[in-house]
């Protein structure tokens, strides 16, 4: 899975914001604000990765257990899928 073409990550006023561009700007209304872990996952999803890859990224970056990392990564992916941002 990976982020669909047409979504970029911007840093505005020290906030990480996902912005639709091009044709996606017509189809998607609004912006998505991310925290640091969301930013890490979004950047990782710039490439075709698996859920296990996302879990590994969280485990490498934060002092959390695998269950928490998997729960957080799954919730993040589910939200992006619900907004049709992942392909």
């Amino acid at each position: 899975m990976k982020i669909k073409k047409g979504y970029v990550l911007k840093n505005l006023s020290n906030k990480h914001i996902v912005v639709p561009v091009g044709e996606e700007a017509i189809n998607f209304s609004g912006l998505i604000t991310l925290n640091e872990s969301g930013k890490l996952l979004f950047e990782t999803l710039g490439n075709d990765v698996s859920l296990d890859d996302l879990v590994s990224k969280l485990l490498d970056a934060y002092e959390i257990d695998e269950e928490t990392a998997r729960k957080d990564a799954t919730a993040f992916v589910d939200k992006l899928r619900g907004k049709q941002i992942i392909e």
Side-chain angles (χ1 to χ4, degrees):
M1 73 187 122
K2 68 179 184 175
I3 298 296
K4 284 173 43 177
K5 185 177 178 181
Y7 293 92
V8 295
L9 182 62
K10 298 286 186 180
N11 188 332
L12 302 171
S13 300
N14 294 323
K15 294 186 181 195
H16 310 295
I17 299 173
V18 176
V19 180
V21 295
E23 197 168 308
E24 289 302 321
I26 297 168
N27 301 325
F28 186 85
S29 177
L31 305 171
I32 300 171
T33 303
L34 302 176
N35 60 17
E36 289 298 320
S37 59
K39 176 184 179 268
L40 174 67
L41 293 176
F42 190 89
E43 290 173 336
T44 303
L45 284 162
N47 298 308
D48 193 13
V49 296
S50 68
L51 182 62
D52 288 338
D53 295 327
L54 297 177
V55 171
S56 292
K57 279 288 188 181
L58 289 175
L59 289 172
D60 290 344
Y62 301 100
E63 293 183 20
I64 57 175
D65 60 81
E66 185 172 351
E67 181 181 342
T68 301
R70 186 164 301 280
K71 180 181 167 190
D72 290 351
T74 300
F76 185 78
V77 167
D78 288 346
K79 284 184 183 181
L80 293 183
R81 277 194 177 129
K83 296 185 181 300
Q84 299 177 346
I85 294 176
I86 291 182
E87 56 185 11

